[in-house]
Amino acid sequence: MTHARRTALMAGASTLTLAASPLMAQENQEVVDLNTIIVTATTDTSTQAEGYVAEYNQSATKSDTPLAKTPQSVSVVTAQQIEDQNAQTLGQALNYTAGVLGEPYGMDPRFDSPTVRGFEARGSQYVNGLRQLRYMGAPAYETYALQQVEVLRGPSSSLYGAGSPAGIINQVQKRAQDFVFGEVGLGFDNNGSKQVFFDFNTAVTDDLSFRVTGIGKDQNTQIKDLGNDRGYLGLAARYRPSDYTTIDVIASYTKDSPISPAGVPFALTGQGNDDYLRQLNTGEPGWDRSDRRIFNLGFEVNHELESGWTLSQSFRYEKFDWEYYGHYVNGTANGGTEITRGANRQVEHNTGISLDTRLAGEVQTGDVVHELLFGIDIRRFKADTVTEFYNSTTGGVGNLTWANPTYGTHPNGTAWYTSTPAITQTQVGVYAQDEIEMGRLRASLALRYDWSKQEGTTYTNFAGNGVVDQSDTALTGRAGLGYEIAEGTLAYLNYSTSFDPEIGVDGSGNTLKPLTARQWEAGVKYEPTGYRGLVTASVYDLQQENLTINLGGALGRQQIGKVKSYGFELETVAELTRGLNLRASYAYNRTRVVENGGSNNGNEMPNAPRHMSGIWLDQTFDSGFRLGGGARFIGSRKGDLANTYSLAGVTLFDLGVGYSTDKFDASLNVGNVFDKVYLANCGSFGCYYGEGRTITAKISYKW
């Protein structure tokens, strides 16, 4: 509901009451019983949440149901927390969120690849409620552009159709607001990174406002010559032609050049040289390069009908172009003095459109209130990709003497592996949701039916040409039941399912089957009355089938049968006293391949720590000074599905200080304060170190 209409309705109700009072006092006066008019909206993310505690989210129910009354596990990371922790990536923004491993591969500027409840979430990332469309997982989105990040855990196809069993990570872009403000600033860090940023909002009239957000980065990492030059420009406009209609236009353009670390062979780690190897570039500075461009244009329309129902529509057009040259490591040679390497080249041209149309309203039957939602969404995605791998035999990739590296040997031969898929995927889904409230009882029921079609061609030099012509249908749903056992305390039980049609074929040329999943979850949510906050505790049992894994090389992608994940999560976010913010979490997670995994049966999923925990406290004083700090623990985990590599647990500490006035803001953040050297991941393509101590300073002028 818009503020203007809410005010008008309240004023109208007051006027009717005052006018009716003397009339009703008269004898024999006819009394007219007016029907109640109920107005609903579809989300309440039009304004940015203050502090760390968000009351609403865009993703869980596509409705105005508060987080505290939603019978499923949802976390929201606000813009204030992102700023206080100086999170430069989505993974860093999620590092203190329960059940999420934010940076499983360390600092990789190409992708954000967090895992949720033990499963990779690269393919389940959304922007403004619409899925990021890419053949091999979502590219990294600019965090300065966001007003909040939402994590909806578990299968969510009942509202979103095709999606990962991990859940949804929804990144909500900054919207135009109806008041004037601005910010301009700069920053730098001890790796030599530099950035300039700005965020301007203006209200032309009471009904029309614009916002422009931009950042330019020369982002470096602990590895010399590796980083990302990025430019981002976001535009937002809001127009209210009437008190009943709101139109948001949201566009963005990103141009960057991310290069991933080539890694280090496992045999070299743990031998006393890790501090040196953490900073070693095992690629080729003269060959490794990247040119990526991402364009998004979309709109959101909300129109309140006279009946009290709301008609909403979200649309986005995406264009993604990328040319990438990089290296990876294979092993060692010559008594361990040299690193053997491979190289790869990838070219992508992707386009996609997403359209989601919803009708929402409230119906009351006796003492039961039904918040109804009906929707249809359409998604069409086209991907043209060229992937090439080079080795030392035919591709001219040279070894690297790691103790005294000499660069200059570039691939100059024939690729040993080539893949050129050209795939178009179309999905249409219809869905319905009923959120029921009856006294202390809450229920949330959702059902969806999807049609998905994939068509195109695929080619590899091992399997030859192939034709893709596959159609899938699926019925998915969600049923949640909650009961308010005391004021502000909701106990709930939830069951949900999902499916995700895999694009293309496996390494043997067989069409990939859809990935399916189901989850049971039970939990308790507590909303304190003495301060703003939300405490959530949950247990879950999650199972997925037809998981696709990339074995690399000629084996390519393969599907395994059944994988289980179960565990317990506890999370608290609160403003304990004025200016004192808290975020704390603990997660226990067990994963296991239980069926048709061949030699992997009984193994754990990669990047799935059994234990994770974190706590962050941030105090802003009346004087303008701010002091924050946190500790996070990442437990032992496996590096690959074969469980060949075991990684030790690690505890990391972060620090943030700042000073603010009415016009100026200055901050200093230190990540990994004690410069802990640790392995973030080890797999068939080498090991990757976590980022060392990073000291970042920023200053900005605001009005």
Side-chain angles (χ1 to χ4, degrees):
M1 182 188 300
T2 64
H3 175 74
R5 192 178 185 198
R6 184 185 294 111
T7 303
L9 287 174
M10 293 175 64
S14 300
T15 302
L16 287 173
T17 302
L18 292 173
S21 297
L23 294 176
M24 294 174 64
Q26 297 177 15
E27 294 183 359
N28 301 323
Q29 174 65 42
E30 181 180 0
V31 178
V32 179
D33 185 11
L34 299 177
N35 292 328
T36 302
I37 299 175
I38 303 173
V39 180
T40 64
T42 54
T43 56
D44 198 354
T45 56
S46 58
T47 58
Q48 185 168 302
E50 295 183 2
Y52 284 32
V53 183
E55 297 179 356
Y56 297 90
N57 78 106
Q58 188 183 57
S59 57
T61 59
K62 295 187 179 182
S63 71
D64 276 342
T65 303
L67 284 171
K69 295 184 178 181
T70 302
Q72 59 190 123
S73 182
V74 189
S75 296
V76 176
V77 179
T78 64
Q80 186 63 56
Q81 181 184 330
I82 292 173
E83 181 178 349
D84 288 349
Q85 295 178 343
N86 190 40
Q88 297 294 304
T89 66
L90 173 65
Q92 291 177 359
L94 296 175
N95 272 336
Y96 286 86
T97 302
V100 180
L101 179 58
E103 299 176 284
Y105 300 99
M107 175 65 79
D108 187 342
R110 296 182 304 166
F111 309 111
D112 294 310
S113 303
T115 62
V116 180
R117 291 184 170 174
F119 295 129
E120 186 178 87
R122 186 190 299 178
S124 57
Q125 294 176 29
Y126 285 62
V127 174
N128 301 328
L130 300 173
R131 189 175 183 178
Q132 287 184 276
L133 301 178
R134 182 174 174 265
Y135 181 50
M136 287 172 283
Y141 200 78
E142 176 55 51
T143 55
Y144 184 66
L146 305 178
Q147 70 178 33
Q148 68 186 42
V149 178
E150 305 163 353
V151 180
L152 172 62
R153 300 176 185 84
S156 304
S157 287
S158 57
L159 290 182
Y160 292 93
S164 163
I168 284 176
I169 299 176
N170 184 38
Q171 302 164 89
V172 182
Q173 189 177 348
K174 292 176 178 177
R175 315 298 174 89
Q177 304 297 322
D178 57 1
F179 56 96
V180 177
F181 62 87
E183 175 187 46
V184 60
L186 55 88
F188 56 90
D189 70 20
N190 61 318
N191 290 321
S193 304
K194 300 175 288 292
Q195 62 176 272
V196 294
F197 52 91
F198 60 87
D199 186 13
F200 305 142
N201 190 96
T202 184
V204 179
T205 66
D206 291 340
D207 301 321
L208 180 62
S209 55
F210 295 93
R211 186 170 186 172
V212 56
T213 305
I215 188 168
K217 294 181 178 180
D218 174 14
Q219 184 178 12
N220 298 312
T221 67
Q222 61 193 5
I223 301 175
K224 185 180 179 181
D225 300 321
L226 238 61
N228 186 16
D229 294 332
R230 164 176 281 190
Y232 169 87
L233 182 65
L235 302 174
R238 173 167 295 165
Y239 177 52
R240 292 191 177 99
S242 71
D243 290 341
Y244 306 93
T245 305
T246 301
I247 302 171
D248 281 297
V249 178
I250 307 171
S252 67
Y253 178 74
T254 304
K255 185 182 185 304
D256 62 359
S257 55
I259 299 175
S260 176
V264 173
F266 178 75
L268 296 181
T269 65
Q271 306 301 314
N273 300 304
D274 293 272
D275 192 26
Y276 167 77
L277 292 171
R278 182 175 64 171
Q279 305 175 61
L280 177 65
N281 184 358
T282 56
E284 282 290 337
W287 161 271
D288 299 343
R289 61 189 184 276
S290 176
D291 183 11
R292 185 169 67 177
R293 301 165 192 244
I294 308 170
F295 174 72
N296 294 307
L297 176 61
F299 65 77
E300 297 176 357
V301 178
N302 288 276
H303 178 65
E304 298 169 9
L305 306 174
E306 292 184 2
S307 61
W309 286 61
T310 300
L311 182 64
S312 305
Q313 188 173 72
S314 303
F315 169 83
R316 184 168 70 242
Y317 166 79
E318 302 177 51
K319 192 174 190 304
F320 178 90
D321 298 290
W322 193 11
E323 185 170 7
Y324 178 83
Y325 296 76
H327 275 73
Y328 57 93
V329 302
N330 292 316
T332 60
N334 293 330
T337 62
E338 295 181 359
I339 296 175
T340 60
R341 303 177 298 175
N344 66 297
R345 171 181 175 266
Q346 186 158 312
V347 179
E348 297 183 51
H349 299 290
N350 303 337
T351 57
I353 59 170
S354 300
L355 180 67
D356 185 14
T357 304
R358 306 170 298 279
L359 180 65
E362 184 176 290
V363 173
Q364 188 164 340
T365 56
D367 295 331
V368 182
V369 178
H370 299 265
E371 294 282 354
L372 299 177
L373 175 72
F374 303 95
I376 178 171
D377 70 32
I378 301 170
R379 183 188 304 162
R380 185 173 177 86
F381 169 59
K382 183 177 181 180
D384 292 297
T385 305
V386 176
T387 302
E388 298 173 343
F389 284 88
Y390 300 83
N391 59 21
S392 59
T393 304
T394 62
V397 181
N399 294 351
L400 183 73
T401 303
W402 60 268
N404 186 23
T406 300
Y407 302 102
T409 304
H410 300 164
N412 56 11
T414 304
W416 69 270
Y417 175 79
T418 301
S419 172
T420 57
I423 306 293
T424 299
Q425 183 185 49
T426 304
Q427 176 193 312
V428 178
V430 293
Y431 57 90
Q433 176 179 264
D434 185 5
E435 295 179 274
I436 303 168
E437 182 176 346
M438 183 176 62
R440 293 189 173 189
L441 186 67
R442 307 280 187 274
S444 181
L445 308 173
L447 199 63
R448 178 184 175 115
Y449 193 81
D450 278 283
W451 297 264
S452 176
K453 183 175 179 60
Q454 304 172 64
E455 51 191 342
T457 59
T458 181
Y459 167 83
T460 72
N461 57 325
F462 287 91
N465 290 306
V467 175
V468 177
D469 187 3
Q470 178 182 352
S471 297
D472 296 292
T473 60
L475 179 67
T476 54
R478 184 192 73 245
L481 183 65
Y483 186 78
E484 191 174 357
I485 57 179
E487 183 180 359
T489 304
L490 180 76
Y492 70 88
L493 177 67
N494 184 284
Y495 177 78
S496 58
T497 62
S498 73
F499 94 111
D500 195 4
E502 298 283 12
I503 299 177
V505 297
D506 63 17
S508 303
N510 301 314
T511 300
L512 294 171
K513 300 176 183 178
L515 173 69
T516 60
R518 64 104 180 115
Q519 176 184 268
W520 286 98
E521 180 183 271
V524 177
K525 293 187 174 185
Y526 170 63
E527 190 175 28
T529 56
Y531 56 88
R532 294 181 64 223
L534 182 64
V535 181
T536 303
S538 62
V539 294
Y540 61 90
D541 183 289
L542 172 59
Q543 177 178 292
Q544 67 173 8
E545 296 186 28
N546 302 325
L547 170 68
T548 301
I549 59 173
N550 193 340
L551 298 178
L555 295 175
R557 299 193 297 168
Q558 299 290 336
Q559 288 188 305
I560 61 177
K562 187 181 296 183
V563 181
K564 294 197 70 173
S565 169
Y566 61 91
F568 166 77
E569 293 168 350
L570 177 64
E571 184 173 74
T572 300
V573 57
E575 184 179 355
L576 299 174
T577 60
R578 179 181 175 183
L580 178 60
N581 291 298
L582 165 70
R583 186 169 204 107
S585 66
Y586 169 76
Y588 171 79
N589 175 242
R590 288 295 303 271
T591 60
R592 185 164 54 95
V593 180
V594 296
E595 187 178 298
N596 295 334
S599 61
N600 295 318
N601 277 351
N603 287 357
E604 299 178 22
M605 291 294 291
N607 298 319
R610 289 195 183 183
H611 301 274
M612 285 193 298
S613 61
I615 182 170
W616 173 271
L617 274 168
D618 195 281
Q619 172 70 65
T620 299
F621 300 95
D622 291 339
S623 62
F625 282 101
R626 181 181 63 82
L627 177 63
R632 46 196 169 94
F633 173 73
I634 304 171
S636 59
R637 58 213 180 277
K638 302 299 182 181
D640 63 343
L641 191 63
N643 289 186
T644 308
Y645 310 98
S646 296
L647 306 176
V650 61
T651 300
L652 304 170
F653 296 87
D654 306 307
L655 179 67
V657 295
Y659 178 72
S660 299
T661 67
D662 291 339
K663 297 294 184 180
F664 289 96
D665 184 84
S667 64
L668 180 72
N669 286 81
V670 185
N672 191 0
V673 173
F674 298 107
D675 200 24
K676 182 72 173 179
V677 180
Y678 69 100
L679 290 173
N681 178 262
C682 279
S684 57
F685 286 98
C687 297
Y688 303 91
Y689 289 94
E691 195 74 1
R693 182 191 298 118
T694 304
I695 305 172
T696 306
K698 292 195 303 183
I699 186 169
S700 62
Y701 174 75
K702 300 182 179 182
W703 63 91

